[in-house]
C-alpha cells in the first residue's frame, strides 16, 4: 500500500540557510509523488511532482526534490530560505490508478524561517 | 479567474444542524474531490467524483453526502453536525485521470467549519 512519512513535524532555519524537508514513501509500484505548500489560512498549492521522468524535479519558488529509489525518499530542498517560505509543507503519493486515483498525504512539516 | 472556489470560507454552527459547503471549478476538469483537514493539519480524502459519478467514498459517515449537479460543481452536505466534524474542508479538482495523466490536483481555499 502506498504511504508517505514526513520526518520532522517542525523545521526551523535561518533566512538564507538551506531548507531540507524529508519525505520517505512506501509503494509497491512506481510512485507518483508530490509536494504541496499551504500558506496560513490558504489552500494547498502544488510545488512540484515526480512522475517517473527526471529524478531531479524542479518546482516553483526555487524548490526542488530528488527521487531516490534506493532510499525510497523524495526530499524537498531549497538552497536559500526566504521569510516568505514559512508555511506548512505536505508530501503526497498517488494511490490507485485511473479514476480511482487519490492522494495520500504525509503528516505535514511546518517550516519556520528566522530572520 | 478563480480556479477552484468554495463557499463559505467560514462556517460556525450548532451541533445537530445541517449545513452545506459548495465548490466550483472553472478549469474544465472531470474529477473533483473533498478532503478533510483536522486540527493537527492531517489531510484525508473523503470523496471523489468523476463527471458527476461517485468514485471514491472513504469510510465517511453517511451524515456526509456529496452531490455533483454537473462536473464543475461538487457540494458537500452534512447532516446532524457533531463536534468532531469541526475541521477545514478542502475541495480539489484534477484533469481526467487516465493514461498519461499526472493527476495534479488543484485545491480550493478551504472552508473552516466550527461546530459548537
Amino acid at each position: 500500500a502506498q504511504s508517505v512519512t514526513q520526518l520532522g513535524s517542525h523545521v526551523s532555519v535561518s533566512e538564507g540557510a538551506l531548507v531540507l524537508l524529508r519525505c520517505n514513501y512506501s509503494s509497491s509500484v512506481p510512485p507518483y509523488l508530490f509536494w504541496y505548500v499551504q500558506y496560513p489560512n490558504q489552500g494547498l498549492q502544488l510545488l512540484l511532482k515526480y512522475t517517473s521522468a527526471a529524478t531531479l524535479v524542479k518546482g516553483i519558488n526555487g524548490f526542488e526534490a530528488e527521487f531516490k529509489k534506493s532510499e525510497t525518499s523524495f526530499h524537498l530542498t531549497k538552497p536559500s530560505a526566504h521569510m516568505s517560505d514559512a508555511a506548512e509543507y505536505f508530501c503526497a503519493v498517488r494511490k490507485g490508478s485511473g479514476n480511482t486515483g487519490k492522494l495520500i498525504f504525509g503528516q505535514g512539516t511546518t517550516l519556520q524561517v528566522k530572520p | 479567474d478563480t480556479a477552484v472556489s468554495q463557499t463559505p470560507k467560514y462556517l460556525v454552527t450548532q451541533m445537530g444542524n445541517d449545513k452545506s459547503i459548495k465548490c466550483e471549478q472553472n478549469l474544465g476538469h472531470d474529477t473533483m474531490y473533498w478532503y478533510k483537514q483536522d486540527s493537527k493539519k492531517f489531510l484525508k480524502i473523503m470523496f471523489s467524483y468523476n463527471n458527476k459519478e461517485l468514485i471514491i467514498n472513504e469510510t465517511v459517515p453517511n451524515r456526509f453526502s456529496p452531490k455533483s449537479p454537473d462536473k464543475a460543481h461538487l457540494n458537500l452536505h452534512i447532516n446532524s453536525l457533531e463536534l468532531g466534524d469541526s475541521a477545514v474542508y478542502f475541495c480539489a479538482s484534477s484533469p481526467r485521470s487516465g493514461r498519461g495523466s499526472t493527476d495534479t490536483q488543484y485545491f480550493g481555499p478551504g472552508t473552516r467549519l466550527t461546530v459548537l
Side-chain angles (χ1 to χ4, degrees), chain A residues 41-52:
Chain A
N41 298 314
Q42 294 187 27
L44 280 76
Q45 181 181 2
L46 181 69
L47 275 177
L48 50 80
K49 61 186 178 185
Y50 168 76
T51 57
S52 73

Side-chain angles (χ1 to χ4, degrees), chain A residues 65-85:
Chain A
E66 186 172 7
F67 174 74
K68 291 187 176 180
K69 186 177 178 180
S70 60
E71 299 177 8
T72 61
S73 68
F74 189 57
H75 301 332
L76 182 71
T77 60
K78 181 174 180 177
S80 176
H82 192 272
M83 296 297 291
S84 61
D85 294 326

Side-chain angles (χ1 to χ4, degrees), chain A:
Chain A
Q2 285 92 331
S3 67
V4 289
T5 301
Q6 292 182 240
L7 301 175
S9 59
H10 194 101
V11 171
S12 182
V13 300
S14 298
E15 191 174 19
L18 170 72
V19 175
L20 171 60
L21 304 182
R22 299 177 188 273
C23 174
N24 286 88
Y25 70 89
S26 170
S27 179
S28 56
V29 297
Y32 284 177
L33 294 161
F34 304 79
W35 275 101
Y36 280 86
V37 60
Q38 184 180 23
Y39 297 105
N41 298 314
Q42 294 187 27
L44 280 76
Q45 181 181 2
L46 181 69
L47 275 177
L48 50 80
K49 61 186 178 185
Y50 168 76
T51 57
S52 73
T55 56
L56 182 61
V57 182
K58 294 187 183 298
I60 62 171
N61 301 340
F63 284 94
E64 62 181 37
E66 186 172 7
F67 174 74
K68 291 187 176 180
K69 186 177 178 180
S70 60
E71 299 177 8
T72 61
S73 68
F74 189 57
H75 301 332
L76 182 71
T77 60
K78 181 174 180 177
S80 176
H82 192 272
M83 296 297 291
S84 61
D85 294 326
E88 190 79 17
Y89 291 80
F90 293 94
C91 181
V93 63
R94 179 192 171 207
K95 180 177 180 180
S97 60
N99 292 339
T100 62
K102 60 186 179 184
L103 291 178
I104 305 297
F105 285 91
Q107 310 93 306
T109 298
T110 303
L111 175 64
Q112 180 187 25
V113 182
K114 297 178 290 187

Side-chain angles (χ1 to χ4, degrees), chain A residues 36 38 49 94 98-99 102, chain B residues 37 58 97 102-105:
Chain A
Y36 280 86
Q38 184 180 23
K49 61 186 178 185
R94 179 192 171 207
N99 292 339
K102 60 186 179 184
Chain B
Q37 185 176 45
E58 286 283 306
S97 296
T102 55
D103 291 303
T104 297
Q105 294 187 16

